[in-house]
PDB file of all heavy atoms in Angstrom:
ATOM      1  N   GLY A   8     128.723 145.726 105.437  1.00  0.00           N
ATOM      2  CA  GLY A   8     127.853 144.914 106.281  1.00  0.00           C
ATOM      3  C   GLY A   8     127.707 145.496 107.667  1.00  0.00           C
ATOM      4  O   GLY A   8     127.749 144.775 108.655  1.00  0.00           O
ATOM      5  N   ALA A   9     127.547 146.820 107.757  1.00  0.00           N
ATOM      6  CA  ALA A   9     127.489 147.493 109.057  1.00  0.00           C
ATOM      7  C   ALA A   9     126.452 148.610 109.042  1.00  0.00           C
ATOM      8  O   ALA A   9     126.063 149.100 107.984  1.00  0.00           O
ATOM      9  CB  ALA A   9     128.853 148.077 109.405  1.00  0.00           C
ATOM     10  N   ALA A  10     126.025 149.008 110.224  1.00  0.00           N
ATOM     11  CA  ALA A  10     125.172 150.173 110.407  1.00  0.00           C
ATOM     12  C   ALA A  10     125.883 151.087 111.392  1.00  0.00           C
ATOM     13  O   ALA A  10     126.301 150.639 112.466  1.00  0.00           O
ATOM     14  CB  ALA A  10     123.802 149.771 110.947  1.00  0.00           C
ATOM     15  N   VAL A  11     126.078 152.346 111.001  1.00  0.00           N
ATOM     16  CA  VAL A  11     126.834 153.283 111.824  1.00  0.00           C
ATOM     17  C   VAL A  11     126.142 154.633 111.880  1.00  0.00           C
ATOM     18  O   VAL A  11     125.386 155.004 110.993  1.00  0.00           O
ATOM     19  CB  VAL A  11     128.274 153.473 111.284  1.00  0.00           C
ATOM     20  CG1 VAL A  11     129.011 152.168 111.231  1.00  0.00           C
ATOM     21  CG2 VAL A  11     128.269 154.115 109.915  1.00  0.00           C
ATOM     22  N   SER A  12     126.441 155.354 112.937  1.00  0.00           N
ATOM     23  CA  SER A  12     125.998 156.729 113.102  1.00  0.00           C
ATOM     24  C   SER A  12     127.251 157.595 113.142  1.00  0.00           C
ATOM     25  O   SER A  12     128.166 157.328 113.922  1.00  0.00           O
ATOM     26  CB  SER A  12     125.215 156.871 114.408  1.00  0.00           C
ATOM     27  OG  SER A  12     124.937 158.232 114.661  1.00  0.00           O
ATOM     28  N   VAL A  13     127.292 158.623 112.278  1.00  0.00           N
ATOM     29  CA  VAL A  13     128.449 159.510 112.214  1.00  0.00           C
ATOM     30  C   VAL A  13     127.970 160.933 112.409  1.00  0.00           C
ATOM     31  O   VAL A  13     127.043 161.383 111.732  1.00  0.00           O
ATOM     32  CB  VAL A  13     129.169 159.412 110.846  1.00  0.00           C
ATOM     33  CG1 VAL A  13     130.374 160.331 110.812  1.00  0.00           C
ATOM     34  CG2 VAL A  13     129.572 157.982 110.549  1.00  0.00           C
ATOM     35  N   GLY A  14     128.583 161.631 113.347  1.00  0.00           N
ATOM     36  CA  GLY A  14     128.261 163.030 113.581  1.00  0.00           C
ATOM     37  C   GLY A  14     129.520 163.863 113.516  1.00  0.00           C
ATOM     38  O   GLY A  14     130.575 163.444 113.992  1.00  0.00           O
ATOM     39  N   ALA A  15     129.434 165.028 112.869  1.00  0.00           N
ATOM     40  CA  ALA A  15     130.587 165.923 112.763  1.00  0.00           C
ATOM     41  C   ALA A  15     130.193 167.306 113.257  1.00  0.00           C
ATOM     42  O   ALA A  15     129.086 167.769 113.002  1.00  0.00           O
ATOM     43  CB  ALA A  15     131.074 166.001 111.325  1.00  0.00           C
ATOM     44  N   SER A  16     131.107 167.930 113.989  1.00  0.00           N
ATOM     45  CA  SER A  16     130.891 169.289 114.472  1.00  0.00           C
ATOM     46  C   SER A  16     132.240 169.978 114.532  1.00  0.00           C
ATOM     47  O   SER A  16     133.260 169.396 114.167  1.00  0.00           O
ATOM     48  CB  SER A  16     130.243 169.265 115.859  1.00  0.00           C
ATOM     49  OG  SER A  16     131.154 168.736 116.808  1.00  0.00           O
ATOM     50  N   GLU A  17     132.259 171.198 114.997  1.00  0.00           N
ATOM     51  CA  GLU A  17     133.522 171.913 115.141  1.00  0.00           C
ATOM     52  C   GLU A  17     134.468 171.201 116.097  1.00  0.00           C
ATOM     53  O   GLU A  17     135.675 171.321 116.001  1.00  0.00           O
ATOM     54  CB  GLU A  17     133.271 173.339 115.617  1.00  0.00           C
ATOM     55  CG  GLU A  17     132.621 174.214 114.570  1.00  0.00           C
ATOM     56  CD  GLU A  17     132.386 175.622 115.081  1.00  0.00           C
ATOM     57  OE1 GLU A  17     133.067 176.040 116.025  1.00  0.00           O
ATOM     58  OE2 GLU A  17     131.515 176.294 114.513  1.00  0.00           O
ATOM     59  N   GLY A  18     133.917 170.430 117.036  1.00  0.00           N
ATOM     60  CA  GLY A  18     134.722 169.714 118.015  1.00  0.00           C
ATOM     61  C   GLY A  18     135.329 168.427 117.485  1.00  0.00           C
ATOM     62  O   GLY A  18     136.192 167.843 118.120  1.00  0.00           O
ATOM     63  N   GLY A  19     134.878 167.958 116.321  1.00  0.00           N
ATOM     64  CA  GLY A  19     135.422 166.736 115.752  1.00  0.00           C
ATOM     65  C   GLY A  19     134.349 165.807 115.245  1.00  0.00           C
ATOM     66  O   GLY A  19     133.240 166.230 114.930  1.00  0.00           O
ATOM     67  N   VAL A  20     134.691 164.541 115.173  1.00  0.00           N
ATOM     68  CA  VAL A  20     133.810 163.520 114.617  1.00  0.00           C
ATOM     69  C   VAL A  20     133.572 162.442 115.665  1.00  0.00           C
ATOM     70  O   VAL A  20     134.490 162.072 116.394  1.00  0.00           O
ATOM     71  CB  VAL A  20     134.463 162.872 113.364  1.00  0.00           C
ATOM     72  CG1 VAL A  20     133.611 161.751 112.820  1.00  0.00           C
ATOM     73  CG2 VAL A  20     134.728 163.928 112.307  1.00  0.00           C
ATOM     74  N   GLU A  21     132.326 161.946 115.724  1.00  0.00           N
ATOM     75  CA  GLU A  21     132.013 160.826 116.600  1.00  0.00           C
ATOM     76  C   GLU A  21     131.320 159.761 115.769  1.00  0.00           C
ATOM     77  O   GLU A  21     130.368 160.045 115.043  1.00  0.00           O
ATOM     78  CB  GLU A  21     131.120 161.250 117.753  1.00  0.00           C
ATOM     79  CG  GLU A  21     130.815 160.093 118.705  1.00  0.00           C
ATOM     80  CD  GLU A  21     130.079 160.541 119.934  1.00  0.00           C
ATOM     81  OE1 GLU A  21     130.700 161.206 120.787  1.00  0.00           O
ATOM     82  OE2 GLU A  21     128.881 160.222 120.043  1.00  0.00           O
ATOM     83  N   LEU A  22     131.818 158.549 115.859  1.00  0.00           N
ATOM     84  CA  LEU A  22     131.278 157.406 115.141  1.00  0.00           C
ATOM     85  C   LEU A  22     130.787 156.396 116.164  1.00  0.00           C
ATOM     86  O   LEU A  22     131.524 156.048 117.084  1.00  0.00           O
ATOM     87  CB  LEU A  22     132.368 156.763 114.283  1.00  0.00           C
ATOM     88  CG  LEU A  22     132.052 155.379 113.725  1.00  0.00           C
ATOM     89  CD1 LEU A  22     131.183 155.516 112.486  1.00  0.00           C
ATOM     90  CD2 LEU A  22     133.325 154.637 113.399  1.00  0.00           C
ATOM     91  N   TYR A  23     129.544 155.944 116.006  1.00  0.00           N
ATOM     92  CA  TYR A  23     129.002 154.872 116.844  1.00  0.00           C
ATOM     93  C   TYR A  23     128.610 153.736 115.918  1.00  0.00           C
ATOM     94  O   TYR A  23     127.856 153.932 114.962  1.00  0.00           O
ATOM     95  CB  TYR A  23     127.788 155.345 117.638  1.00  0.00           C
ATOM     96  CG  TYR A  23     127.130 154.224 118.405  1.00  0.00           C
ATOM     97  CD1 TYR A  23     127.750 153.666 119.516  1.00  0.00           C
ATOM     98  CD2 TYR A  23     125.903 153.696 118.003  1.00  0.00           C
ATOM     99  CE1 TYR A  23     127.157 152.613 120.218  1.00  0.00           C
ATOM    100  CE2 TYR A  23     125.313 152.653 118.703  1.00  0.00           C
ATOM    101  CZ  TYR A  23     125.949 152.115 119.801  1.00  0.00           C
ATOM    102  OH  TYR A  23     125.376 151.075 120.484  1.00  0.00           O
ATOM    103  N   VAL A  24     129.118 152.541 116.185  1.00  0.00           N
ATOM    104  CA  VAL A  24     128.813 151.382 115.357  1.00  0.00           C
ATOM    105  C   VAL A  24     127.637 150.640 115.977  1.00  0.00           C
ATOM    106  O   VAL A  24     127.728 150.132 117.097  1.00  0.00           O
ATOM    107  CB  VAL A  24     130.042 150.450 115.216  1.00  0.00           C
ATOM    108  CG1 VAL A  24     129.704 149.259 114.343  1.00  0.00           C
ATOM    109  CG2 VAL A  24     131.221 151.221 114.639  1.00  0.00           C
ATOM    110  N   VAL A  25     126.532 150.597 115.242  1.00  0.00           N
ATOM    111  CA  VAL A  25     125.317 149.940 115.704  1.00  0.00           C
ATOM    112  C   VAL A  25     125.395 148.442 115.437  1.00  0.00           C
ATOM    113  O   VAL A  25     125.052 147.625 116.288  1.00  0.00           O
ATOM    114  CB  VAL A  25     124.077 150.536 114.994  1.00  0.00           C
ATOM    115  CG1 VAL A  25     122.803 149.810 115.408  1.00  0.00           C
ATOM    116  CG2 VAL A  25     123.971 152.028 115.256  1.00  0.00           C
ATOM    117  N   ARG A  26     125.861 148.081 114.229  1.00  0.00           N
ATOM    118  CA  ARG A  26     125.933 146.681 113.822  1.00  0.00           C
ATOM    119  C   ARG A  26     127.172 146.496 112.958  1.00  0.00           C
ATOM    120  O   ARG A  26     127.519 147.358 112.160  1.00  0.00           O
ATOM    121  CB  ARG A  26     124.684 146.330 113.011  1.00  0.00           C
ATOM    122  CG  ARG A  26     124.675 144.945 112.410  1.00  0.00           C
ATOM    123  CD  ARG A  26     123.402 144.665 111.611  1.00  0.00           C
ATOM    124  NE  ARG A  26     123.006 145.692 110.682  1.00  0.00           N
ATOM    125  CZ  ARG A  26     123.511 145.864 109.454  1.00  0.00           C
ATOM    126  NH1 ARG A  26     124.468 145.082 109.016  1.00  0.00           N
ATOM    127  NH2 ARG A  26     123.060 146.818 108.682  1.00  0.00           N
ATOM    128  N   GLY A  27     127.855 145.380 113.116  1.00  0.00           N
ATOM    129  CA  GLY A  27     129.030 145.077 112.293  1.00  0.00           C
ATOM    130  C   GLY A  27     130.279 145.761 112.814  1.00  0.00           C
ATOM    131  O   GLY A  27     130.430 145.973 114.020  1.00  0.00           O
ATOM    132  N   GLU A  28     131.166 146.130 111.877  1.00  0.00           N
ATOM    133  CA  GLU A  28     132.389 146.820 112.256  1.00  0.00           C
ATOM    134  C   GLU A  28     132.824 147.763 111.147  1.00  0.00           C
ATOM    135  O   GLU A  28     132.465 147.590 109.984  1.00  0.00           O
ATOM    136  CB  GLU A  28     133.505 145.841 112.600  1.00  0.00           C
ATOM    137  CG  GLU A  28     133.916 144.914 111.487  1.00  0.00           C
ATOM    138  CD  GLU A  28     134.964 143.900 111.932  1.00  0.00           C
ATOM    139  OE1 GLU A  28     134.903 143.419 113.074  1.00  0.00           O
ATOM    140  OE2 GLU A  28     135.843 143.601 111.110  1.00  0.00           O
ATOM    141  N   VAL A  29     133.599 148.762 111.544  1.00  0.00           N
ATOM    142  CA  VAL A  29     134.079 149.794 110.627  1.00  0.00           C
ATOM    143  C   VAL A  29     135.587 149.910 110.808  1.00  0.00           C
ATOM    144  O   VAL A  29     136.075 149.977 111.939  1.00  0.00           O
ATOM    145  CB  VAL A  29     133.409 151.156 110.932  1.00  0.00           C
ATOM    146  CG1 VAL A  29     133.986 152.263 110.087  1.00  0.00           C
ATOM    147  CG2 VAL A  29     131.900 151.051 110.744  1.00  0.00           C
ATOM    148  N   SER A  30     136.311 149.939 109.706  1.00  0.00           N
ATOM    149  CA  SER A  30     137.751 150.175 109.798  1.00  0.00           C
ATOM    150  C   SER A  30     137.993 151.662 109.596  1.00  0.00           C
ATOM    151  O   SER A  30     137.223 152.348 108.915  1.00  0.00           O
ATOM    152  CB  SER A  30     138.521 149.344 108.767  1.00  0.00           C
ATOM    153  OG  SER A  30     138.140 149.693 107.458  1.00  0.00           O
ATOM    154  N   TYR A  31     139.051 152.160 110.218  1.00  0.00           N
ATOM    155  CA  TYR A  31     139.355 153.585 110.088  1.00  0.00           C
ATOM    156  C   TYR A  31     140.847 153.795 109.886  1.00  0.00           C
ATOM    157  O   TYR A  31     141.671 152.965 110.229  1.00  0.00           O
ATOM    158  CB  TYR A  31     138.866 154.375 111.306  1.00  0.00           C
ATOM    159  CG  TYR A  31     139.650 154.119 112.568  1.00  0.00           C
ATOM    160  CD1 TYR A  31     140.763 154.889 112.884  1.00  0.00           C
ATOM    161  CD2 TYR A  31     139.277 153.112 113.443  1.00  0.00           C
ATOM    162  CE1 TYR A  31     141.490 154.653 114.044  1.00  0.00           C
ATOM    163  CE2 TYR A  31     139.990 152.867 114.592  1.00  0.00           C
ATOM    164  CZ  TYR A  31     141.094 153.637 114.889  1.00  0.00           C
ATOM    165  OH  TYR A  31     141.807 153.394 116.035  1.00  0.00           O
ATOM    166  N   ARG A  32     141.150 154.952 109.303  1.00  0.00           N
ATOM    167  CA  ARG A  32     142.535 155.387 109.146  1.00  0.00           C
ATOM    168  C   ARG A  32     142.563 156.894 109.364  1.00  0.00           C
ATOM    169  O   ARG A  32     141.743 157.627 108.817  1.00  0.00           O
ATOM    170  CB  ARG A  32     143.056 155.058 107.752  1.00  0.00           C
ATOM    171  CG  ARG A  32     144.538 155.427 107.610  1.00  0.00           C
ATOM    172  CD  ARG A  32     145.049 155.108 106.243  1.00  0.00           C
ATOM    173  NE  ARG A  32     144.567 156.172 105.370  1.00  0.00           N
ATOM    174  CZ  ARG A  32     144.410 156.062 104.069  1.00  0.00           C
ATOM    175  NH1 ARG A  32     144.651 154.937 103.459  1.00  0.00           N
ATOM    176  NH2 ARG A  32     143.986 157.074 103.363  1.00  0.00           N
ATOM    177  N   GLU A  33     143.484 157.332 110.197  1.00  0.00           N
ATOM    178  CA  GLU A  33     143.699 158.759 110.432  1.00  0.00           C
ATOM    179  C   GLU A  33     145.195 158.950 110.580  1.00  0.00           C
ATOM    180  O   GLU A  33     145.781 158.573 111.594  1.00  0.00           O
ATOM    181  CB  GLU A  33     142.955 159.229 111.680  1.00  0.00           C
ATOM    182  CG  GLU A  33     143.038 160.735 111.855  1.00  0.00           C
ATOM    183  CD  GLU A  33     142.135 161.240 112.948  1.00  0.00           C
ATOM    184  OE1 GLU A  33     141.750 160.471 113.839  1.00  0.00           O
ATOM    185  OE2 GLU A  33     141.816 162.431 112.905  1.00  0.00           O
ATOM    186  N   GLY A  34     145.813 159.479 109.521  1.00  0.00           N
ATOM    187  CA  GLY A  34     147.266 159.590 109.529  1.00  0.00           C
ATOM    188  C   GLY A  34     147.893 158.219 109.572  1.00  0.00           C
ATOM    189  O   GLY A  34     147.559 157.349 108.772  1.00  0.00           O
ATOM    190  N   ASP A  35     148.764 157.980 110.543  1.00  0.00           N
ATOM    191  CA  ASP A  35     149.419 156.677 110.696  1.00  0.00           C
ATOM    192  C   ASP A  35     148.619 155.709 111.559  1.00  0.00           C
ATOM    193  O   ASP A  35     149.024 154.567 111.730  1.00  0.00           O
ATOM    194  CB  ASP A  35     150.808 156.862 111.329  1.00  0.00           C
ATOM    195  CG  ASP A  35     151.760 157.590 110.403  1.00  0.00           C
ATOM    196  OD1 ASP A  35     151.556 157.536 109.176  1.00  0.00           O
ATOM    197  OD2 ASP A  35     152.710 158.223 110.907  1.00  0.00           O
ATOM    198  N   HIS A  36     147.501 156.160 112.105  1.00  0.00           N
ATOM    199  CA  HIS A  36     146.686 155.320 112.994  1.00  0.00           C
ATOM    200  C   HIS A  36     145.620 154.584 112.191  1.00  0.00           C
ATOM    201  O   HIS A  36     144.908 155.189 111.404  1.00  0.00           O
ATOM    202  CB  HIS A  36     146.020 156.165 114.087  1.00  0.00           C
ATOM    203  CG  HIS A  36     146.993 156.895 114.940  1.00  0.00           C
ATOM    204  ND1 HIS A  36     147.716 156.283 115.931  1.00  0.00           N
ATOM    205  CD2 HIS A  36     147.384 158.185 114.931  1.00  0.00           C
ATOM    206  CE1 HIS A  36     148.512 157.175 116.505  1.00  0.00           C
ATOM    207  NE2 HIS A  36     148.326 158.336 115.910  1.00  0.00           N
TER     208      HIS A  36
END
């Protein structure tokens, strides 16, 4: 139930949440 923009490059990943919410997991975080 969300709209998101995800961009990936050599520098990493950037996520912008336009509508709703997104859960994330990266290692222990």
Side-chain angles (χ1 to χ4, degrees):
V11 302
S12 172
V13 181
S16 67
E17 290 180 22
V20 176
E21 182 173 288
L22 166 81
Y23 174 71
V24 180
V25 177
R26 175 180 48 81
E28 60 184 37
V29 174
S30 61
Y31 71 90
R32 184 180 78 204
E33 186 171 22
D35 293 335
H36 301 283

